Amino acid sequence: MTEPTETTTHADPAPADAAVLVRDAVDADRAAALVGSCTVDYDGRASGHVDPGVRHVVRQPDGTLLVHGATGHRPLAWHAGDGDFTTTATADDRLVLRAESNTEELTVALDAVHALTVYDPDDADKDVQGTEADVVSRLLNDPDLVESGFTPLATERDTPAGPVDIYGRDANGRICVVEVKRSRVGPDAATQLDRYVRALREDLHTDSDIRGILVAPSVTQKCRDILLERGHDFSPFEA
Amino acid sequence: MTEPTETTTHADPAPADAAVLVRDAVDADRAAALVGSCTVDYDGRASGHVDPGVRHVVRQPDGTLLVHGATGHRPLAWHAGDGDFTTTATADDRLVLRAESNTEELTVALDAVHALTVYDPDDADKDVQGTEADVVSRLLNDPDLVESGFTPLATERDTPAGPVDIYGRDANGRICVVEVKRSRVGPDAATQLDRYVRALREDLHTDSDIRGILVAPSVTQKCRDILLERGHDFSPFEA
DNA sequence: GCCTAGGTCCCGTCT
DNA sequence: AGACGGGGCCTAGGC
């Protein structure tokens, strides 16, 4: 009975027709993509407004509502996939899409719909390689990449300040906290490492006999300064 | 001569036809939105692959290429608006979109195009209120919100560790570094404030006579612990 | 060009 | 549910 539904496109639908089409798409857990002239109003954690213009509006089956403009990766406005979604054809012939949750609301008011496409997006099976976790694997397979003679003892070892990427011992048997980053890092990475080292020193009552090692392709100067000031080391490693 | 171009939609175009339509859209600085079945391959800072499925693919006039799936705000894959973009109809009747820059490449291979919309998105005039800058303005207008008797002296005052949000004096004349956040914060905000305070103490050679004040709606326990340990204060303020 | 920090960050993961 | 950290983070502003 349920055969693969087809993608349907509509050129210049009247707002009242578009309202029905979008509502049907939502009811059928389908996606609706609109191109049209609209204003956008957001209110929630912050608030915002987008002046009239032609935008690309997408309502996904998970409830996400996105408004894309002409540039950039990020939507001009968006709403997470929870809460209510309503489509209304107004008396003055506009199509109003409204997503509303406990804390946020997003209203897209289209005075013209140039195109409407209803379709069935698939859930995505996505592989990514080159993440921080991949770098950690490499370092565990060849611990000398951290430092000659390094021995890993655990990953994600808990400290009062949070879990450390790699916990181990150096060639002299000193405990090491290793923080791994996949790309060049700034001051935040150095202070993150420092927090873990300090927490572990306090936890183990071994005042300063714990080393901190930051593994990353490279560090900025301010990062290097902080490492130096706090007595931690930088070990360059490029994935 | 150049009248407002219209949005055009095409249902189930042949890949060869779609290739021409997308290429024309790119040449005319227009946007193209496709719905179709495709695989996605990315290589660059990391690498990734998306298994076959129906996706929403958008090429914006600034060169951005986005692939959206069924869920979430973030694209399954994307490419920034620089470098080359090519559309190819292959011998085996697929449409291949390829965005390539010095460091990154993204390939979308569609075996079927269900819908293609070409349109002219407008540049966006966007207002946002409730940002951190807005909170700073409020605090400058009514410095008692930071702390009774607080006197602001500068915003974005430079220190060796970077510019501080608000620099001023408390009721007793002590120098204060104020870090402002618009929402509940964790350990990172506390260490950021601490870096500024330490840098300024070193810079002004006034060993510990500089206070750190974190202004935010609320803080997590770990954040509170760090503030306490480093001797800084928390001043709750909700926008 | 790099660096720094904000973001309606989003998002997964774990407590 | 809150919290914590990663992200191909993206993006804006300085220098």
Side-chain angles (χ1 to χ4, degrees):
Chain A
M1 163 111 194
T2 53
E3 31 187 280
T5 46
E6 285 184 11
T7 299
T8 57
T9 62
H10 308 264
D12 295 303
D17 296 333
V20 173
L21 290 165
V22 172
R23 205 173 300 137
D24 288 348
V26 170
D27 290 343
D29 280 324
R30 310 188 73 198
L34 303 90
V35 171
S37 172
C38 60
T39 59
V40 181
D41 286 281
Y42 154 74
D43 197 16
R45 287 166 290 183
S47 63
H49 172 82
V50 182
D51 280 342
V54 174
R55 321 280 177 221
H56 191 56
V57 183
V58 182
R59 149 85 197 201
Q60 293 174 341
D62 70 338
T64 307
L65 183 62
L66 304 169
V67 182
H68 274 285
T71 62
H73 298 64
R74 283 192 9 235
L76 294 170
W78 67 91
H79 189 88
D82 55 349
D84 295 325
F85 182 78
T86 56
T87 70
T88 313
T90 64
D92 61 342
D93 210 36
R94 291 181 306 152
L95 170 62
V96 176
L97 309 179
R98 187 177 170 78
E100 201 169 354
S101 63
N102 289 338
T103 55
E104 317 257 356
E105 63 184 65
L106 177 63
T107 305
V108 181
L110 299 109
D111 54 41
V113 180
H114 300 323
L116 167 58
T117 301
V118 176
Y119 60 103
D120 281 303
D122 289 315
D123 275 339
D125 233 332
K126 191 174 146 187
D127 278 313
V128 185
Q129 268 145 25
T131 62
E132 182 183 298
D134 294 323
V135 177
V136 170
S137 294
R138 291 271 299 273
L139 298 175
L140 294 175
N141 279 341
D142 189 358
D144 280 353
L145 290 171
V146 172
E147 183 177 278
S148 177
F150 177 75
T151 305
L153 298 173
T155 61
E156 303 297 319
R157 185 198 191 279
D158 270 321
T159 72
V164 305
D165 287 338
I166 303 177
Y167 174 83
R169 288 187 188 278
D170 69 12
N172 300 320
R174 282 179 75 191
I175 291 294
C176 297
V177 168
V178 183
E179 175 63 29
V180 179
K181 297 294 176 187
R182 64 176 305 283
S183 53
R184 183 173 175 84
V185 290
D188 53 336
T191 52
Q192 187 188 351
L193 172 61
D194 187 56
R195 281 195 288 117
Y196 294 151
V197 171
R198 293 167 71 114
L200 205 56
R201 281 178 185 160
E202 185 155 2
D203 213 37
L204 301 183
H205 306 289
T206 59
D207 198 31
S208 64
D209 210 25
I210 295 178
R211 294 180 53 204
I213 305 175
L214 177 60
V215 177
S218 58
V219 295
T220 67
Q221 187 57 50
K222 280 203 178 77
C223 177
R224 192 179 292 274
D225 293 345
I226 295 167
L227 291 175
L228 193 67
E229 175 199 353
R230 319 272 167 112
H232 307 312
D233 293 309
F234 164 57
S235 174
F237 174 73
E238 182 104 34
Chain B
M1 163 111 196
T2 53
E3 32 185 279
T5 46
E6 287 184 9
T7 299
T8 58
T9 61
H10 308 263
D12 295 302
D17 295 333
V20 173
L21 289 165
V22 172
R23 205 173 301 138
D24 287 350
V26 170
D27 290 344
D29 281 323
R30 310 188 73 197
L34 302 90
V35 171
S37 172
C38 61
T39 60
V40 181
D41 286 280
Y42 155 75
D43 198 15
R45 285 166 291 183
S47 63
H49 171 82
V50 182
D51 280 344
V54 173
R55 321 279 178 221
H56 191 55
V57 183
V58 182
R59 149 87 197 199
Q60 292 175 343
D62 69 338
T64 306
L65 183 62
L66 304 169
V67 183
H68 274 285
T71 61
H73 298 67
R74 283 189 8 232
L76 294 170
W78 68 92
H79 189 88
D82 55 348
D84 294 327
F85 182 78
T86 56
T87 71
T88 312
T90 64
D92 61 342
D93 211 36
R94 293 181 306 153
L95 171 61
V96 176
L97 308 179
R98 189 178 169 78
E100 201 170 353
S101 63
N102 289 338
T103 54
E104 316 257 352
E105 63 184 62
L106 177 64
T107 306
V108 182
L110 299 109
D111 54 42
V113 179
H114 300 323
L116 167 58
T117 302
V118 176
Y119 61 102
D120 281 303
D122 289 315
D123 275 339
D125 234 331
K126 190 174 149 188
D127 278 313
V128 186
Q129 268 145 23
T131 63
E132 181 183 300
D134 294 322
V135 177
V136 169
S137 293
R138 291 272 297 274
L139 298 175
L140 293 177
N141 279 342
D142 189 357
D144 280 353
L145 290 171
V146 172
E147 183 178 277
S148 177
F150 177 73
T151 305
L153 298 173
T155 61
E156 302 298 317
R157 185 198 191 277
D158 271 320
T159 73
V164 305
D165 287 338
I166 304 177
Y167 174 85
R169 287 187 188 278
D170 69 11
N172 300 320
R174 283 179 73 190
I175 290 294
C176 297
V177 168
V178 183
E179 175 62 30
V180 179
K181 297 293 178 190
R182 64 177 305 283
S183 53
R184 182 172 174 84
V185 290
D188 53 335
T191 53
Q192 187 188 351
L193 172 62
D194 186 57
R195 282 195 288 114
Y196 293 152
V197 172
R198 293 168 70 112
L200 206 57
R201 280 178 184 160
E202 184 154 3
D203 212 38
L204 300 183
H205 306 289
T206 59
D207 199 31
S208 63
D209 210 25
I210 296 180
R211 294 181 53 204
I213 305 174
L214 178 59
V215 177
S218 59
V219 297
T220 67
Q221 188 56 51
K222 280 202 178 76
C223 177
R224 194 178 291 274
D225 292 345
I226 296 168
L227 290 175
L228 194 67
E229 174 199 354
R230 318 272 168 110
H232 307 312
D233 293 309
F234 165 57
S235 174
F237 175 73
E238 182 104 33

